[in-house]
Amino acid sequence: AYFPGGANDRLSCAASSDFLFGSASLSISFSLYLLARPAAGTSCRLINVGTNGRSSAFCVATDEWGNLGGYVPVGGKNAVFSGGGEVSLNVWQDFQVSVFNGNALVFKNGLIIVERTGLDMPSGGTTNIVRIGGDQSGYPSVDAPLYGYLSQLRILCKSGRNDSSYVPDSGPFAEGFSLGVCAIGAGPAAGPARAAGLEVR
């Protein structure tokens, strides 16, 4: 479980070619307890894989109205966002953003809240870094920090099935996996009840 202090805090994982999605299927799921929405005119990139402005990147963000979605952070036909303020304050909610063959879905508590076709998937690049709780890209409109709690994060990416003889190679989550912590807050004296766990796969 991740309890940031809400002021330039984030978790980060070192860049790895394992975070290049290409045309693969992609699913990012997590539980979110939001204490405050981003300020007017800004959004918070809750999960950012890659670098701002790169076609190999993908973001999951929430905005000042409580909408949630995912997108490739370059120009073009590359975003899916809800439009009904589905991210409520002061309550745990489960979300998932999935893209498969260009078909994008956003789920809330297991139900589809928005979908679209023709979403551009990330492409190109050689390595990607993962940032959780804020992007710190240098662009104020998307640099709002996370004011709340994040738990049970899973990032799944797969281009197809492996046969029974497949043996995973070494990657960022092999032996010795660690997350870098940047100015993380101490957390509240008594946080909201939720099963703890941060899993990035």
Side-chain angles (χ1 to χ4, degrees):
Y2 172 48
F3 301 153
N8 299 318
D9 302 342
R10 68 180 184 274
L11 296 176
S12 64
C13 180
S16 168
S17 59
D18 286 0
F19 294 125
L20 292 176
F21 300 135
S23 59
S25 59
L26 169 66
S27 175
I28 300 177
S29 61
F30 55 93
S31 294
L32 180 66
Y33 189 105
L34 202 63
L35 294 173
R37 293 185 175 128
T42 70
S43 63
C44 173
R45 287 177 173 168
L46 301 168
I47 300 106
N48 183 76
V49 183
T51 304
N52 187 68
R54 298 288 181 87
S55 62
S56 60
F58 193 85
C59 304
V60 174
T62 185
D63 62 19
E64 61 184 288
W65 299 285
N67 302 319
L68 184 130
Y71 60 97
V72 179
V74 293
K77 188 179 179 182
N78 53 29
V80 56
F81 257 89
S82 65
E86 286 83 0
V87 183
S88 302
L89 298 179
N90 303 308
V91 62
W92 280 109
Q93 297 173 299
D94 297 325
F95 292 100
Q96 179 175 329
V97 178
S98 294
V99 184
F100 180 73
N101 288 339
N103 299 306
L105 299 167
V106 179
F107 298 84
K108 172 186 173 180
N109 296 332
L111 300 176
I112 297 173
I113 56 175
V114 64
E115 58 186 304
R116 60 155 293 179
T117 60
L119 181 75
D120 292 343
M121 279 293 290
S123 61
T126 56
T127 59
N128 275 338
I129 192 171
V130 175
R131 294 185 178 91
I132 302 166
D135 184 34
Q136 281 75 39
S137 66
Y139 293 84
S141 62
V142 295
D143 270 356
L146 170 61
Y147 286 91
Y149 315 99
L150 195 66
S151 184
Q152 301 174 358
L153 169 64
R154 303 183 73 180
I155 301 174
L156 304 176
C157 177
K158 191 60 185 169
S159 57
R161 293 180 179 270
N162 293 309
D163 59 36
S164 59
S165 63
Y166 174 74
V167 178
D169 59 6
S170 61
F173 303 127
E175 294 295 329
F177 163 64
S178 63
L179 284 170
V181 181
C182 302
I184 187 169
R194 186 67 168 186
L198 174 67
E199 181 182 9
V200 188
R201 298 173 54 183

